[in-house]
Amino acid sequence: MHSYTRAESRERSKLFRKGFRQSLADCLDPDIRRRIERIDAAAAERGQQELNALYEVQAKARQDLAAAKAVERTAPRADKPAAREARKQAEQRVRLAERAVHKAERT
C-alpha cells in the first residue's frame, strides 16, 4: 500500500511526465528515476504504518465485540435490550474496521 501526500503526488506526476518526454528522446536522466523511487519508498513506508494502525483498530473492535457479546449473554433480563444495542454497535464498528482494512489492502 502506498500513501502519497498531495505534494508527493504532484512531484511524482511532474517527474513522470518529464521522464516520459526524455524517454521518447532516448536520453533519460537517472536522477528522475531515483527521485521517483525515493518518493515511492516514503509513500510505501507511510502506507505500511497506516495499514498497521488499521489492523490495530480492527483487533480492538473485535475485542470490544467479544466483550459486548459476553455482557449480553450474562446481563439480567432488565438490561438485555441495552446490552443487545451495545453488541449491535460493536458489530457495526467491526464491519467498518474490516471494510477499511480490505480497502487499504487493495490499494
Side-chain angles (χ1 to χ4, degrees):
M1 178 179 152
H2 289 80
S3 179
Y4 295 99
T5 63
R6 289 183 191 171
E8 286 174 339
S9 292
R10 283 192 305 269
E11 179 70 16
R12 189 179 189 286
S13 64
K14 184 181 84 170
L15 290 169
F16 179 80
R17 286 190 304 270
K18 188 175 182 179
F20 181 74
R21 286 192 301 269
Q22 287 182 1
S23 69
L24 289 176
D26 201 26
C27 60
L28 184 60
D29 184 11
D31 184 51
I32 291 175
R33 179 173 287 153
R34 279 194 299 270
R35 289 168 62 188
I36 288 175
E37 288 173 355
R38 197 173 326 126
I39 290 170
D40 287 344
E45 182 181 334
R46 191 177 313 107
Q48 188 60 45
Q49 289 173 350
E50 291 176 8
L51 190 59
N52 290 340
L54 284 172
Y55 286 142
E56 290 175 18
V57 168
Q58 182 184 29
K60 173 130 177 42
R62 286 180 176 170
Q63 288 293 328
D64 292 345
L65 176 59
K69 284 183 177 181
V71 168
E72 182 183 12
R73 288 184 184 126
T74 60
R77 175 166 276 199
D79 297 337
K80 285 271 189 195
R84 186 177 302 115
E85 185 61 33
R87 177 190 47 85
K88 287 180 182 180
Q89 289 175 356
E91 287 174 344
Q92 180 65 25
R93 285 191 299 273
V94 168
R95 280 192 294 275
L96 290 173
E98 287 176 348
R99 252 186 247 139
V101 167
H102 290 306
K103 183 178 178 183
E105 287 176 339
R106 282 184 279 152
T107 60

